[in-house]
């Protein structure tokens, strides 16, 4: 439990704006970024942003004229699966620390359900790019 209250330096490391945050606080900050900045797309999957652990999903498949649209609309089945797993661990850690975990658990389950919806009968779709390009792995 003491680990969660350990103070870590935050960026910038030096100067008048250097700071510190607890491990628990940094994890909360990461969670808020995932929810509030990365977010989910129209299919409820975690957004793709620049890729999903395979940069060629965007770089090798998307034309330069579609890049901005894919950054705004793209969703990743792999990112959603990874989020579901990591969020379950985060929720367990929060509960262990006596913190509220229901919102995190709910998002973890929601992502797992959205991943299940992408099963084609033989494989999982990989990613939704945008209205023009559709799915990779259809």
């Amino acid at each position: 439990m003491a680990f969660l209250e350990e103070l870590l330096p935050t960026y910038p490391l030096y100067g008048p704006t250097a700071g510190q945050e607890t491990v628990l606080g940094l994890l909360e900050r990461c969670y808020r970024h995932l929810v509030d900045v990365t977010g989910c797309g129209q299919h409820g999957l975690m957004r793709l942003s620049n890729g999903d652990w395979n940069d060629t999903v965007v770089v090798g498949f998307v034309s330069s004229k579609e890049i901005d649209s894919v950054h705004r609309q793209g969703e990743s089945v792999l990112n959603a699966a990874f989020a579901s797993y990591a969020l379950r661990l985060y929720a367990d850690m929060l509960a262990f620390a006596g913190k509220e975990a229901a919102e995190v658990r709910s998002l973890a389950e929601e992502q797992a359900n959205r991943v299940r919806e992408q099963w084609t009968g033989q494989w999982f779709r990989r990613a939704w790019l945008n209205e023009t390009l559709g799915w990779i792995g259809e």
Side-chain angles (χ1 to χ4, degrees):
M1 294 292 289
F3 167 72
L4 296 175
E5 296 306 320
E6 253 184 63
L7 285 172
L8 298 176
T10 57
Y11 183 83
L13 298 177
Y14 308 104
T17 58
Q20 292 184 333
E21 180 64 81
T22 64
V23 169
L24 190 60
L26 290 169
L27 289 171
E28 171 65 18
R29 189 186 303 182
C30 291
Y31 174 73
R32 293 279 26 123
H33 182 87
L34 179 70
V35 171
D36 299 336
V37 178
T38 301
C40 298
Q42 70 184 49
H43 301 95
L45 296 159
M46 279 290 141
R47 292 198 34 252
L48 181 66
S49 190
N50 291 320
D52 68 349
W53 309 95
N54 177 353
D55 292 342
T56 62
V57 167
V58 174
V59 175
F61 197 79
V62 177
S63 70
S64 59
K65 72 177 187 162
E66 296 281 354
I67 288 286
D68 288 339
S69 174
V70 170
H71 285 169
R72 284 190 316 275
Q73 297 177 33
E75 298 171 76
S76 167
V77 176
L78 186 57
N79 286 352
F82 182 63
S84 176
Y85 179 80
L87 289 169
R88 284 182 181 134
L89 294 176
Y90 179 49
D92 288 347
M93 187 236 23
L94 286 172
F96 181 73
K99 307 290 183 186
E100 179 55 49
E103 176 187 325
V104 177
R105 263 192 225 294
S106 178
L107 181 57
E109 189 58 32
E110 180 68 21
Q111 288 304 289
N113 289 335
R114 296 296 175 230
V115 168
R116 285 183 200 99
E117 291 171 358
Q118 302 315 314
W119 179 248
T120 68
Q122 295 181 317
W123 56 75
F124 287 94
R125 294 177 185 99
R126 178 63 182 254
W128 169 260
L129 297 178
N130 64 17
E131 292 293 338
T132 305
L133 299 171
W135 289 99
I136 294 177
E138 190 73 61

